[in-house]
């Protein structure tokens, strides 16, 4: 029975009883009206009228009270049941079902509720299955990558690791998933190094030498932070990191073949170039015979080009020294002014040719001596001064100097030439890099070798430069 029918029935019964009560009252009233008050029938009729009215009135009150109690209860109970059901669903308990007996409306509500819960159960099962299959798919992708890859949570727990990484790290999957990488690193050298590099960002990462594929291999580690923006948040949250090891053995082998090749060629070229220069010296010797003006010009040009060739082969040899790790520093006590004088002497001809004035800034008082490989540092200073002259305008001026900065000595070269765009302040120290559009001839090696030489002494080489204003290169060495 539905609530409407119940209400109709209840109110109908009540209305019927009230009508009956009124009719009985009216009939009795009429009977009493026609009865003489003194007649012997008056008393029994009055009593019978009172009984009828009281009984019917009592039944009306009883039925009314029954409705008053039963009707709200019959609505309240299923509503409470329904509320409890909704709360269970809200708490992801999709197994909850309702069984509301009695009212037809509530039975329909319970049916709809149960259908909804069933659909939600199916939906959850399907999303869970989808998520699981997507997870499996991603794991398959990660495993099919030939490079070792490790995924870490924010707390540095290993979330995923592919077979290649397990192989390289000599670990077993069942022992690492969901384990703290930092704890595992205590017993694993390679993992320790990877974690250490992860927590010290910014440092230059050297390739890792690892025994893999039955041979010594080289891997370059890449650290990729995983970030995400939570719903309703503005800031990027760090979710963890991925460590990717790229096998660079092939490149390393090619690189070392290239270095050997450059080294051999440079050595081989040095001898013929020296022979050309010796022959030129003989040619210029008046005792051998005098040259006419045209021949003199030609010999000058041959000399200049041979010197350039000799410089380049020298630079290439320096590069190979650095790259093969054969760079040897032989330090001795050196006065900074000696290095400056050497650099000026080496660049005198070039400076005169472009009419560049070289100014020396050297403190009056005593400046501490340096303990450096004077040949190497003189080479760097010569190279910086040569750059300053080459990249200055004719008739310009350059400054070379030294100053003490606490326990450091700064050797600097400043020019007022074209300057360097800040975009290239890092790249000019890379091998073979030349600022785009540079017309002056060069190899792009000088600054990179200079940086290597200075860093091999534990010093730094930096640049301050603005376009159109000139550049200042500063070499900072421990006094
Ligand atoms: P090179 O001068 O042989 O090209 P370097 O390694 O010495 O090689 O310099 C790299 C590049 O940096 C140069 O090609 C040039 O573009 C730029 N550069 C270096 N020194 C200066 C300077 N003093 N002024 C302007 N540009 C410079």
């Amino acid at each position: 029975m539905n609530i409407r029918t119940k209400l109709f029935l209840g109110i109908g019964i009540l209305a019927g009883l009230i009508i009956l009560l009124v009719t009985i009252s009216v009939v009795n009233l009429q009977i009493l009206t026609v009865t003489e008050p003194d007649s012997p029938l008056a008393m029994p009729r009055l009593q019978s009228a009172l009984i009828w009215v009281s009984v019917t009135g009592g039944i009306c009150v009883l039925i009314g009270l029954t409705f008053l109690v039963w009707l709200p209860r019959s609505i309240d109970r299923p509503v409470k049941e329904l509320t409890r059901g909704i709360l269970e669903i809200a708490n992801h308990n999709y197994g909850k079902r309702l069984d509301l007996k009695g009212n037809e409306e509530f039975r329909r509500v319970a049916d709809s509720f149960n259908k909804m819960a069933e659909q939600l159960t199916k939906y959850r099962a399907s999303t869970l299955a989808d998520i699981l299959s997507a997870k499996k798919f991603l794991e398959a992708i990660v495993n099919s990558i030939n490079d070792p890859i490790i995924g870490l949570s924010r707390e540095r727990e290993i979330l995923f690791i592919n077979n290649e990484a397990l192989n390289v790290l000599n670990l077993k999957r069942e022992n690492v998933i969901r384990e703290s990488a930092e704890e595992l690193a205590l017993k694993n050298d390679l993992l320790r190094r990877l974690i250490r590099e992860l927590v010290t960002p910014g440092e230059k990462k050297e390739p890792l030498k690892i025994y893999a594929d039955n041979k010594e291999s080289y891997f370059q580690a890449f650290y990729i932070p995983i970030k995400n923006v939570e719903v309703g948040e503005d800031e990027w949250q760090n979710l963890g990191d991925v460590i990717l090891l790229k096998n660079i053995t092939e490149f390393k082998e090619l690189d070392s073949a290239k270095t050997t090749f450059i080294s051999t060629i440079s050595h081989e070229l040095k001898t013929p170039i020296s022979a050309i220069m010796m022959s030129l010296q003989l040619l210029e010797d008046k005792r051998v015979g005098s040259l006419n003006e045209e021949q003199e010009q030609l010999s000058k040009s041959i000399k200049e080009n041979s010197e350039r060739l000799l410089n380049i082969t020298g630079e290439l040899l320096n590069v190979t020294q650095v790259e093969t790790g054969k760079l040897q520093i032989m330090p001795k006590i050196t006065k900074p002014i000696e290095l400056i004088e050497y650099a000026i002497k080496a660049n005198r001809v070039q400076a005169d040719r472009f009419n560049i004035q070289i100014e020396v800034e050297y403190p009056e008082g005593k400046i501490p001596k340096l303990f450096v490989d004077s040949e190497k540092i003189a080479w760097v200073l010569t190279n910086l001064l040569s750059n300053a002259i080459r990249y200055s305008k004719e008739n310009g001026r350059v400054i070379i100097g030294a100053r003490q900065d606490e326990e450091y000595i700064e050797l600097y070269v400043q020019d007022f030439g074209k300057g360097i765009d800040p975009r290239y302040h890092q790249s000019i120290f890379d091998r073979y890099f030349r600022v785009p559009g540079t017309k002056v001839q060069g190899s792009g090696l000088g600054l990179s070798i200079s940086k290597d030489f200075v860093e091999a002494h534990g010093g730094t080489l930096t640049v301050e430069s603005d376009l159109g204003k000139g550049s200042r290169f500063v070499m900072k060495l421990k006094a």
Side-chain angles (χ1 to χ4, degrees):
M1 204 191 297
N2 62 28
I3 298 175
R4 223 167 108 209
T5 322
K6 273 184 188 168
L7 270 174
F8 271 129
L9 201 72
I11 294 166
I13 292 171
L14 258 180
L17 280 169
I18 289 166
I19 291 167
L20 185 70
L21 183 68
V22 172
T23 318
I24 290 170
S25 304
V26 172
V27 169
N28 280 304
L29 204 63
Q30 275 175 352
I31 294 171
L32 284 176
T33 321
V34 293
T35 311
E36 284 293 315
D38 300 332
S39 120
L41 286 172
M43 206 50 198
R45 278 185 182 164
L46 182 63
Q47 276 173 350
S48 134
L50 275 174
I51 289 167
W52 274 108
V53 170
S54 318
V55 170
T56 323
I59 292 171
C60 279
V61 170
L62 266 178
I63 291 177
L65 279 176
T66 313
F67 270 109
L68 208 67
V69 176
W70 168 77
L71 203 65
R73 268 187 64 187
S74 73
I75 295 173
D76 192 42
R77 197 184 49 81
V79 167
K80 273 191 184 145
E81 186 85 352
L82 186 64
T83 313
R84 267 199 298 274
I86 290 170
L87 284 176
E88 292 279 342
I89 296 283
N91 289 327
H92 305 284
N93 179 12
Y94 302 131
K96 176 76 186 166
R97 297 290 181 271
L98 291 183
D99 181 18
L100 301 178
K101 293 196 184 81
N103 297 328
E104 203 182 308
E105 284 91 342
F106 284 117
R107 267 207 305 277
R108 267 191 266 137
V109 168
D111 279 350
S112 308
F113 177 92
N114 293 344
K115 267 187 204 142
M116 176 192 78
E118 213 160 290
Q119 289 299 326
L120 281 173
T121 314
K122 274 192 204 153
Y123 175 71
R124 193 175 65 161
S126 71
T127 29
L128 211 68
D130 283 352
I131 292 169
L132 281 174
S133 83
K135 185 174 172 268
K136 283 220 169 83
F137 188 66
L138 282 178
E139 276 172 4
I141 293 178
V142 170
N143 263 332
S144 62
I145 295 173
N146 286 334
D147 293 319
I149 183 162
I150 308 163
L152 299 175
S153 71
R154 200 175 6 206
E155 291 75 30
R156 306 248 153 74
E157 269 178 11
I158 297 185
L159 295 180
F160 62 84
I161 181 164
N162 68 354
N163 294 339
E164 207 56 41
L166 288 169
N167 186 20
V168 161
L169 287 162
N170 202 12
L171 290 169
K172 287 206 167 63
R173 184 175 295 278
E174 58 272 22
N175 299 338
V176 296
I177 295 293
R178 282 278 161 202
E179 292 296 325
S180 154
E182 271 155 8
E183 268 174 37
L184 289 169
L186 295 175
K187 290 186 225 134
N188 191 305
D189 287 348
L190 182 55
L191 191 59
R192 188 161 53 242
R193 199 168 152 192
L194 291 172
I195 300 293
R196 200 175 44 223
E197 286 187 355
L198 175 70
V199 292
T200 50
E203 269 182 30
K204 202 175 163 196
K205 320 278 192 228
E206 291 296 325
L208 303 154
K209 207 198 273 183
I210 300 170
Y211 195 79
D213 303 332
N214 298 327
K215 63 171 181 158
E216 236 170 35
S217 304
Y218 289 87
F219 287 85
Q220 183 72 55
F222 294 93
Y223 299 90
I224 309 155
I226 308 297
K227 292 189 187 283
N228 189 23
V229 183
E230 296 276 323
V231 182
E233 303 254 335
D234 291 334
E235 274 180 38
W236 286 87
Q237 303 272 339
N238 183 23
L239 298 184
D241 296 271
V242 168
I243 304 176
L244 180 76
L245 294 176
K246 186 126 196 63
N247 193 334
I248 54 160
T249 317
E250 205 181 316
F251 303 108
K252 197 85 183 152
E253 282 165 0
L254 281 173
D255 197 46
S256 99
K258 175 216 76 185
T259 310
T260 317
F261 174 74
I262 293 178
S263 162
T264 319
I265 290 286
S266 313
H267 265 296
E268 293 302 319
L269 281 178
K270 266 192 139 179
T271 323
I273 298 168
S274 305
I276 293 172
M277 290 182 81
M278 284 244 302
S279 311
L280 267 177
Q281 246 177 354
L282 284 174
L283 209 61
E284 283 170 353
D285 194 333
K286 294 275 186 289
R287 283 171 297 179
V288 180
S290 52
L291 302 174
N292 64 30
E293 209 175 307
E294 213 175 325
Q295 286 167 334
E296 245 176 49
Q297 278 301 320
L298 281 171
S299 98
K300 204 175 150 207
S301 160
I302 297 171
K303 195 173 169 195
E304 274 174 17
N305 282 299
S306 308
E307 269 168 3
R308 263 190 60 208
L309 261 178
L310 208 60
N311 271 341
I312 292 175
T313 45
E315 280 183 350
L316 287 173
L317 273 175
N318 282 333
V319 169
T320 58
Q321 253 192 32
V322 174
E323 287 189 355
T324 51
K326 287 186 191 145
L327 183 66
Q328 275 188 350
I329 303 291
M330 286 186 278
K332 59 177 198 217
I333 294 170
T334 314
K335 284 187 193 158
I337 191 69
E338 284 172 7
L339 299 168
I340 292 175
E341 278 165 356
Y342 177 91
I344 296 175
K345 208 169 146 208
N347 280 290
R348 177 58 64 205
V349 179
Q350 206 177 15
D352 288 347
R353 189 189 315 160
F354 296 110
N355 196 25
I356 306 272
Q357 195 191 326
I358 302 174
E359 289 171 22
V360 180
E361 284 181 355
Y362 204 74
E364 291 267 306
K366 234 179 155 199
I367 188 161
K369 290 184 184 123
L370 289 162
F371 187 61
V372 290
D373 185 325
S374 54
E375 248 181 55
K376 302 246 170 351
I377 298 299
W379 189 95
V380 174
L381 213 53
T382 309
N383 181 62
L384 293 179
L385 188 59
S386 158
N387 277 358
I389 295 167
R390 283 159 60 226
Y391 297 110
S392 284
K393 289 191 200 85
E394 262 184 69
N395 310 318
R397 70 182 179 110
V398 299
I399 301 171
I400 182 166
R403 63 182 278 267
Q404 185 176 3
D405 178 17
E406 292 172 1
E407 75 265 43
Y408 292 96
I409 301 285
E410 282 185 359
L411 294 166
Y412 55 86
V413 176
Q414 183 165 4
D415 66 65
F416 303 90
K418 57 190 257 183
I420 305 163
D421 191 322
R423 275 186 294 165
Y424 304 119
H425 283 190
Q426 288 270 314
S427 340
I428 52 169
F429 295 102
D430 291 343
R431 298 240 192 293
Y432 308 106
F433 181 86
R434 309 202 69 221
V435 171
T438 304
K439 291 198 180 71
V440 178
Q441 283 195 326
S443 61
L445 285 172
L447 286 178
S448 83
I449 298 169
S450 301
K451 199 169 166 71
D452 285 334
F453 279 3
V454 177
E455 284 177 358
H457 284 83
T460 57
L461 176 62
T462 50
V463 64
E464 297 152 21
S465 180
D466 272 322
L467 269 181
K469 290 192 183 154
S471 316
R472 182 182 166 95
F473 284 86
V474 183
M475 175 171 25
K476 202 166 176 173
L477 293 161
K478 201 131 179 102

